[in-house]
Amino acid sequence: EAGVAQSPRYKIIEKRQSVAFWCNPISGHATLYWYQQILGQGPKLLIQFQNNGVVDDSQLPKDRFSAERLKGVDSTLKIQPAKLEDSAVYLCASSLFPGVGEQYFGPGTRLTVT
Amino acid sequence: RKEVEQDPGPFNVPEGATVAFNCTYSNSASQSFFWYRQDCRKEPKLLMSVYSSGNEDGRFTAQLNRASQYISLLIRDSKLSDSATYLCVVNNNAGNMLTFGGGTRLMVKP
């Protein structure tokens, strides 16, 4: 079974530039999550989708971050404009149902903002 | 106060040692609990769920103390391959969201 796919794996941008990350969850998983993991910290949930609807985006900095999952399958997370403190690994995860303990994570995108 | 707190470590132990990690959570309404493992520069993966009655999986034992709001993970007979960061995870059910602790780093030495 194919796992969660993410691209790109690495990205380096200057502050104030924009960047987009892509995620393709495990086939059949209705729930998709985007997490931000800053070095030395645990993953922090940014947004959770159930099919193509947003379940929770309370921790998403909406002035600069946006995410969509238009067809209920793959998803895009965008940052515009980026700040230095956005440097982190952005992890996408999926699960069959919301709130289950077993979430399957992709390899992440490592973002460096200079 | 953080929702889920862990000692970041690192815990440096020799092979064969027994090591225990604790984790505390602040939301008394939390319903389910998990331990994830994250290798260096890799994604987190579910290690085990934590049940009220405690549970064991080989060398790993997880326990929950609801009264004191803490979760523990015990690793017996540590192997070099156990070196990783162990993340304590709590589901508050109300929001169907998982909240991750900051992780505890374990280094097992020969």
Side-chain angles (χ1 to χ4, degrees), chain B residues 4-47:
Chain B
V4 181
E5 291 204 70
Q6 297 182 250
D7 180 344
F11 284 60
N12 295 297
V13 302
E15 269 187 293
T18 295
V19 62
F21 311 134
N22 286 334
C23 160
T24 58
Y25 60 94
S26 60
N27 185 349
S28 59
S30 297
Q31 294 295 315
S32 47
F33 311 88
F34 312 92
W35 284 100
Y36 271 69
R37 171 190 168 131
Q38 186 171 25
D39 291 306
C40 188
R41 302 181 81 87
K42 298 285 190 181
E43 69 272 22
K45 293 184 180 178
L46 179 66
L47 177 65

Side-chain angles (χ1 to χ4, degrees), chain A residues 5 10 20 23 36 39 46 53 58 64 71-72 77 79 82-83 87 90 96 101-102 113:
Chain A
Y10 305 91
C23 171
Q36 179 193 59
L39 186 65
L46 293 175
S58 57
R64 299 183 301 105
K71 296 182 180 178
L77 175 70
I79 307 175
K83 293 185 175 181
S87 294
Y90 290 84
L96 275 172
E102 185 153 27
V113 183

